[in-house]
Amino acid sequence: MMADARTRARAVIVTNPRSGGGKTARYGLVQRAEDMGAQVWTTSAEGDATSLAQKAVEAGAQVLGVAGGDGTVSAVAAVAADTGRSLVVVPAGTRNHFARDLGLDLRDPGRGLDALVDGEPAQVDLGVLGSRVFVNNVSFGMYADALLEPGYREDKPRAFTAVAPDYVTGKQWVEARVDTPSGTVEFPQVVLISNNPYHLATPRWLGRRFSLATGQLGAIVLKRPTQAPPDLLRHLRGELRQHKRGAGPAGEGVVVWSAPGITLHGDVRHLDAGIDGEAVRLPLPVVCGIRPGALRVLLPKNRPGIPPERAVRH
């Protein structure tokens, strides 16, 4: 599908060639984007996603596109939101949580480019942490530590294997306190703060977001057990099942809630964290908030979508 001259003049797609093990090349996304009239700018040591997006705006781009994982998407989304540009998302990362929850086709990333021609606008929220934006989540604990392991990108199972034992046995935790509706949780094992709440009630759709426009952050805090469970993830799943059966906002070991702002306090100077899959070190206190409707995305008319809530209840 070819675009007209106006599209060629106004659209710049920022691509990360390393995302998803090279999905940009594997799916021929550069050629597909150029065939549709967009310019394609590729990240490198000389130009990261943020700086390329800023330069694209300075060059007159009215639409910013991004082909990469959630980390690359969040960098370009921040520029788009701050400059009032529309964003086209092409799911070229490994997990593509944000693109999935927008209803995009993860099996054929190039279909996201159709939004350049027949895009339907939608306003979605952005999570914020200081000056940083996140489209998916901020995590503390085992996942954040795995991100810091050498060679994480090349061998993720090995990285998780390296950090998991101390969390599974209760010897490792997050050096922070989190204020929750059920009181303050000290030294939790896991803290996960998401841009809009995750669906937790149905195993098939666990971790999906059926709306990115609630104006609320989602939070999951796994408490440090007095007796370590043999399997951290099994413990979390069991607690979520208890929460689903009506145990209230907190089971014995987990607290799940939503709020427009969530804060972590502590006595240490910094915490290791993962922001949209990128390892960072954050000064305390950590204050997360949300910008309702801050980002305008263009979505292709034909996309798989996400299941309606009524279907999830079956």
Side-chain angles (χ1 to χ4, degrees), residues 65 99 115 158:
R158 185 208 58 78

Side-chain angles (χ1 to χ4, degrees), residues 97 100-101 125-127 134-137 192-201 205-220 240 243 255-262 289-290 306 309:
H97 294 289
R100 176 201 63 190
D101 296 340
D125 305 335
L126 288 177
F134 58 96
V135 297
N136 189 32
N137 64 41
L192 186 67
I193 300 171
S194 57
N195 170 28
N196 283 261
Y198 291 124
H199 177 81
L200 301 174
W205 307 114
L206 188 69
R208 296 291 291 268
R209 291 169 293 177
F210 297 114
S211 175
L212 289 166
T214 68
Q216 298 279 305
L217 297 171
I220 303 172
L240 291 175
H243 170 68
V255 188
V256 180
W257 79 102
S258 58
I262 297 168
I290 197 158
I306 56 177
E309 290 188 359

Side-chain angles (χ1 to χ4, degrees), residues 1-4 8 28-38 40:
M1 186 182 303
M2 297 297 292
D4 59 23
R8 284 193 289 272
L29 297 179
V30 172
Q31 188 63 53
R32 291 174 74 167
E34 291 177 343
D35 286 346
M36 299 182 74
V40 178

Side-chain angles (χ1 to χ4, degrees), residues 11-312:
V12 172
I13 312 295
V14 176
T15 69
N16 183 344
R18 297 175 299 279
S19 293
K23 278 188 178 179
T24 299
R26 193 158 65 250
Y27 286 90
L29 297 179
V30 172
Q31 188 63 53
R32 291 174 74 167
E34 291 177 343
D35 286 346
M36 299 182 74
Q39 297 180 37
V40 178
W41 296 4
T42 302
T43 60
S44 65
E46 292 74 33
D48 60 16
T50 297
S51 63
L52 289 181
Q54 290 170 338
K55 290 177 181 177
V57 171
E58 293 169 0
Q62 294 301 307
V63 173
L64 292 175
V66 56
D70 285 328
T72 306
V73 171
S74 64
V76 179
V79 176
D82 288 344
T83 59
R85 266 55 178 184
S86 296
L87 183 72
V88 170
V89 178
V90 181
T94 301
R95 300 298 181 188
N96 304 296
H97 294 289
F98 186 61
R100 176 201 63 190
D101 296 340
L102 287 172
L104 299 179
D105 189 344
L106 305 189
R107 295 169 299 179
D108 183 2
R111 289 184 62 187
L113 293 167
D114 291 346
L116 292 171
V117 177
D118 63 357
E120 297 179 329
Q123 300 291 139
V124 300
D125 305 335
L126 288 177
V128 291
L129 197 166
S131 61
R132 299 190 63 141
V133 157
F134 58 96
V135 297
N136 189 32
N137 64 41
V138 182
S139 60
F140 304 87
M142 183 170 65
Y143 179 62
D145 286 358
L147 288 171
L148 294 169
E149 281 290 304
Y152 166 80
R153 299 292 177 191
E154 293 74 28
D155 192 351
K156 294 180 182 180
R158 185 208 58 78
F160 278 104
T161 299
V163 303
D166 284 348
Y167 281 96
V168 171
T169 58
K171 296 178 182 178
Q172 184 66 29
W173 53 85
V174 180
E175 292 278 357
R177 300 182 294 274
V178 188
D179 295 328
T180 82
S182 301
T184 299
V185 176
E186 296 191 357
F187 308 128
Q189 281 193 297
V190 173
V191 179
L192 186 67
I193 300 171
S194 57
N195 170 28
N196 283 261
Y198 291 124
H199 177 81
L200 301 174
T202 312
R204 181 182 178 186
W205 307 114
L206 188 69
R208 296 291 291 268
R209 291 169 293 177
F210 297 114
S211 175
L212 289 166
T214 68
Q216 298 279 305
L217 297 171
I220 303 172
V221 172
L222 182 64
K223 300 178 183 180
R224 184 184 176 197
T226 53
Q227 292 185 342
D231 184 327
L232 178 64
L233 296 180
R234 184 181 303 167
H235 175 61
L236 177 57
R237 287 194 294 267
E239 291 289 348
L240 291 175
R241 284 195 296 270
Q242 181 180 350
H243 170 68
K244 177 186 175 184
R245 288 195 298 268
E252 179 181 348
V254 70
V255 188
V256 180
W257 79 102
S258 58
I262 297 168
T263 301
L264 280 71
H265 307 273
D267 300 321
V268 296
R269 294 184 60 184
H270 297 90
L271 284 180
D272 292 326
I275 301 181
D276 286 339
E278 303 292 332
V280 297
R281 179 157 288 180
L282 300 172
L284 282 145
V286 174
V287 181
C288 294
I290 197 158
R291 294 170 58 187
L295 178 66
R296 182 172 65 250
V297 293
L298 292 178
L299 301 172
K301 291 181 180 179
N302 296 317
R303 57 189 188 275
I306 56 177
E309 290 188 359
R310 62 179 179 274
V312 174

